[in-house]
Amino acid sequence: MKVLVLGSGVIGTSAAYYLARAGHEVTVLERQPGPALETSFANAGEVSPGYSAPWAGPGVPLKAIKWMLMQHSPLVIWPLLDPAMWRWGLGMLANCTAKAYALNKSRMVPIAEYSRDCLKALRAETGIAYDERTQGTLQLFRTRKQLDGIGGDVEVLKQYGVPFEVLDREGFCRVEPALKLTQHKFVGALRLPGDETGDCFKFTNRLTEMAQALGVTFRFGTAIERLVVEGGRLSGVHTGTGLLSVAPADRVVLALGSYSPLMLKPLGIRIPVYPVKGYSITVPITDPAGAPESTVMDETHKVAVTRLGDRIRVGGTAELAGYSLALREARRATLNHVVTDLFPQGGDVARASFWCGLRPMTPDGTPIIGATPIHNLLVATGHGTLGWTMAAGTGRVIADLVSGRAPEIDVSGLGMARYG
């Protein structure tokens, strides 16, 4: 079967690779000159099934108010006259209940765990390298209240069989020796040894090469302008270079991240995906012994500090500002503060590169993967901060759905039908 994939971020490229492995003839359209040049370019680097949880949960509205009052705030909202933003915000508030949180997490954890297993299998089968490390994630707590409040999270980890450790200062310094210099700032930590790290950009580029070796055609520099529907099926894609026809037996996979709802809206399909801007800095390591070994998450500032080869990636913050890609120095100051506060001797922030990307977020935190009301159109978006975590599994699921096979995990809760 011929399959057209729209978008070559980590989700679209993963789908293209697994579709080609399943025997399909695949073409990928991408407006950028290469793969992973938008949201997949410089994310925090975490492959963290253990942290696969919705942002919306009990107590979050009150926490959000407190966060916005912090000097180095993890949340910034720029009020816009954008109905989509307000609908998304109201949808998130509606999910801030214990019942909704439990349901949404039950949908997120299986695809995240499955994806991590697919990534492991991919490494074993192909030897793909992307500055990967398999040394877990460490969540640091600055206050006793934070540490005492992890009981609910621990119960969920037990429920899903996710390995974990609750560590004191001696314990977290054992797994992250560079924290010995700053250990007095923290009271304890939660470690998830099954989590991984890696450079999403390197991974996506290498996977692109592997997909091309399987026969996938990538058409870079091809802007996707609109979709054409006739008789209940997608018949074509208008691009910057003309109309690309889609035959009746073909399939199309929409993997345009935050821009996916803009493509669907003219077709009468509304999905509650909204861009939440995240920032990162990439810091050259000056003292390897003073740098993190894996990923360290500062719970207070919601910032992740990750070792990627000879660099430290510092990523976080959530900014609601529509589709703006403006780089705001206040966000850089927050990232600089966290990495120098945790690892003062690890890297040179004066030589750091600064980046931002738009995470495609749903109000319930769960991605949207699967069929649409358009007969031959599938969608894979809404992964939020977990696109890198869920990419390989999403690619496998899409390949199975296109091939007419039942996916290896239950994906019934991942479809857009849950929004009515």
Side-chain angles (χ1 to χ4, degrees):
M1 184 181 297
K2 291 185 178 181
V3 184
L4 185 64
V5 177
L6 308 182
S8 69
V10 68
I11 299 295
T13 302
S14 296
Y17 173 78
Y18 283 107
L19 283 163
R21 274 200 1 182
H24 300 290
E25 183 181 338
V26 184
T27 299
V28 181
L29 304 185
E30 169 58 50
R31 66 180 177 180
Q32 297 291 348
L37 289 175
E38 296 194 22
T39 303
S40 301
F41 180 69
N43 62 23
E46 299 171 88
V47 179
S48 300
Y51 285 111
S52 295
W55 284 13
V60 167
L62 181 59
K63 288 180 182 179
I65 294 172
K66 293 179 179 179
W67 289 334
M68 288 189 288
L69 297 176
M70 292 170 54
Q71 178 185 0
H72 293 292
S73 174
L75 174 65
V76 178
I77 299 176
W78 297 87
L80 302 174
L81 295 175
D82 183 356
M85 173 192 280
W86 297 106
R87 280 195 301 268
W88 181 87
L90 290 172
M92 186 172 183
L93 286 174
N95 278 277
C96 288
T97 67
K99 181 178 179 180
Y101 181 88
L103 175 62
N104 295 331
K105 189 172 180 70
S106 73
R107 292 167 169 170
M108 297 172 70
V109 169
I111 182 66
E113 292 281 348
Y114 177 62
S115 187
R116 193 262 319 278
D117 293 344
C118 289
L119 186 59
K120 285 183 176 180
L122 185 65
R123 282 201 306 271
E125 294 164 4
T126 68
I128 188 171
Y130 46 91
D131 286 338
E132 71 280 359
R133 287 180 174 235
T134 56
Q135 295 171 243
T137 299
L138 190 73
Q139 185 178 14
L140 284 174
F141 305 108
R142 293 177 182 265
T143 68
R144 175 58 57 180
K145 183 178 180 181
Q146 289 175 340
L147 183 59
D148 291 344
I150 66 172
D153 292 331
V154 166
E155 288 304 314
V156 172
L157 294 173
K158 290 179 179 178
Q159 177 185 349
Y160 290 101
V162 179
F164 70 92
E165 299 174 288
V166 180
L167 303 175
D168 57 13
R169 286 173 178 160
E170 181 182 352
F172 67 67
C173 288
R174 185 175 64 251
V175 296
E176 288 288 352
L179 288 174
K180 290 178 181 178
L181 287 176
T182 56
Q183 60 178 297
H184 61 281
K185 300 178 181 180
F186 307 97
V187 299
L190 176 65
R191 180 171 181 253
L192 302 178
D195 285 1
E196 304 182 2
T197 59
D199 189 322
C200 183
F201 175 75
K202 283 189 174 183
F203 172 84
T204 309
N205 275 266
R206 180 66 188 113
L207 196 64
T208 296
E209 296 170 358
M210 292 162 55
Q212 288 172 324
L214 293 174
V216 177
T217 299
F218 286 81
R219 293 177 52 175
F220 296 115
T222 303
I224 301 162
E225 297 176 346
R226 63 185 178 91
L227 309 179
V228 181
V229 173
E230 296 177 350
R233 55 170 295 278
L234 196 72
S235 62
V237 177
H238 270 286
T239 73
T241 57
L243 176 65
L244 183 63
S245 296
V246 177
D250 294 350
R251 296 291 183 269
V252 179
V253 179
L254 181 65
L256 294 176
S258 297
Y259 298 91
S260 298
L262 303 185
M263 289 291 158
L264 293 174
K265 185 178 178 181
L267 308 182
I269 301 172
R270 178 176 287 171
I271 57 173
V273 170
Y274 198 77
V276 177
K277 189 195 297 185
Y279 290 85
S280 77
I281 56 173
T282 304
V283 184
I285 291 177
T286 53
D287 177 9
E293 290 296 322
S294 187
T295 290
V296 176
M297 170 69 75
D298 185 329
E299 173 62 19
T300 298
H301 299 289
K302 304 294 185 183
V303 169
V305 184
T306 303
R307 187 174 188 145
L308 297 176
D310 59 357
R311 301 154 295 144
I312 301 172
R313 175 69 50 73
V314 189
T317 77
E319 184 176 284
L320 288 174
Y323 287 85
S324 167
L325 287 170
L327 286 167
R328 304 186 191 278
E329 286 301 315
R331 307 284 76 74
R332 181 173 190 155
T334 295
L335 302 176
N336 286 352
H337 166 73
V338 171
V339 69
T340 55
D341 197 45
L342 270 64
F343 302 100
Q345 298 181 0
D348 183 0
V349 295
R351 293 193 288 136
S353 57
F354 187 31
W355 171 89
C356 70
L358 302 178
R359 312 176 184 110
M361 293 287 297
T362 61
D364 56 6
T366 308
I368 303 173
I369 305 170
T372 73
I374 307 300
H375 173 67
N376 55 340
L377 176 65
L378 295 90
V379 67
T381 187
H383 297 76
T385 59
L386 297 166
W388 181 201
T389 295
M390 297 180 175
T394 298
R396 279 286 300 272
V397 167
I398 288 292
D400 286 340
L401 293 175
V402 169
S403 302
R405 296 192 300 263
E408 295 177 331
I409 61 170
D410 180 10
V411 296
S412 58
L414 303 181
M416 64 174 62
R418 69 182 187 268
Y419 299 116

